[in-house]
């Protein structure tokens, strides 16, 4: 079993980190989106998306937000990164990262949220 090397990660670093998503929730593009950009897309498009149409389960972000806000989230928020053609991209934890950024946006202090880490 591989051992993870976790490093603390700030909300600012999280928002600026590119993901492997170029397209998200019907927003189509050709360049990788940062988690901050995906948060903005989610904010805009989640209101119009109905659960029955959410085949990718993107609306789970709302559940993650609720769990983080209420203290029900029992583990650290861990983002996995990978290197593709010299580009460092978030490959796992993208929806958790969007939820974390949404909590910060709501004014919740990182001290009240689960610890944020990147798996290097």
């Amino acid at each position: 079993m591989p051992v993870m090397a976790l490093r603390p990660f700030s909300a600012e670093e999280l928002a600026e980190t590119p993901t492997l998503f170029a397209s998200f929730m019907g927003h189509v593009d050709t360049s990788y989106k940062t988690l901050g950009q995906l948060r903005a897309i989610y904010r805009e498009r989640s209101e119009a998306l109905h659960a029955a149409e959410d085949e990718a389960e993107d609306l789970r972000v709302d559940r993650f937000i609720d769990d983080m806000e209420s203290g029900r989230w029992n583990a650290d928020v861990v983002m996995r990164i990978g290197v593709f053609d010299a580009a460092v991209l978030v490959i796992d934890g993208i929806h958790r990262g969007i939820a974390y950024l949404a909590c910060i946006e709501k004014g919740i202090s990182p001290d009240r949220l689960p610890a944020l880490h990147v798996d290097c």
Side-chain angles (χ1 to χ4, degrees), residues 17-21 32 80-84 87-92:
T17 302
T19 69
L20 57 80
F21 288 4
Y32 295 125
R80 279 191 45 220
I81 58 172
V83 179
F84 302 90
V88 177
L89 305 173
V90 173
I91 60 172
D92 186 43

Side-chain angles (χ1 to χ4, degrees), residues 33-45:
K33 298 292 165 232
T34 67
L35 272 154
Q37 291 168 320
L38 294 179
R39 169 61 190 134
I41 293 167
Y42 186 84
R43 185 184 323 105
E44 175 186 320
R45 296 180 181 249

Side-chain angles (χ1 to χ4, degrees), residues 88-105:
V88 177
L89 305 173
V90 173
I91 60 172
D92 186 43
I94 293 168
H95 290 83
R96 293 182 297 255
I98 293 168
Y100 191 93
L101 291 176
C103 289
I104 295 294
E105 208 173 74

Side-chain angles (χ1 to χ4, degrees), residues 5-116:
L6 298 180
R7 178 179 77 74
F9 211 46
S10 72
E12 293 79 17
E13 288 174 303
L14 179 66
E16 295 172 2
T17 302
T19 69
L20 57 80
F21 288 4
S23 300
F24 182 62
M25 296 184 78
H27 176 90
V28 179
D29 204 337
T30 57
S31 61
Y32 295 125
K33 298 292 165 232
T34 67
L35 272 154
Q37 291 168 320
L38 294 179
R39 169 61 190 134
I41 293 167
Y42 186 84
R43 185 184 323 105
E44 175 186 320
R45 296 180 181 249
S46 63
E47 297 293 322
L49 183 63
H50 298 93
E53 300 167 342
D54 185 22
E55 294 178 19
E57 295 185 66
D58 292 321
L59 294 178
R60 66 186 150 173
V61 169
D62 288 334
R63 291 191 314 270
F64 294 168
I65 293 168
D66 290 342
D67 287 347
M68 288 180 195
E69 283 180 322
S70 68
R72 289 188 308 263
W73 191 278
N74 296 327
D76 292 351
V77 175
V78 178
M79 312 302 296
R80 279 191 45 220
I81 58 172
V83 179
F84 302 90
D85 295 327
V88 177
L89 305 173
V90 173
I91 60 172
D92 186 43
I94 293 168
H95 290 83
R96 293 182 297 255
I98 293 168
Y100 191 93
L101 291 176
C103 289
I104 295 294
E105 208 173 74
K106 288 182 171 190
I108 300 170
S109 168
D111 296 338
R112 290 192 38 229
L113 292 171
L116 180 62

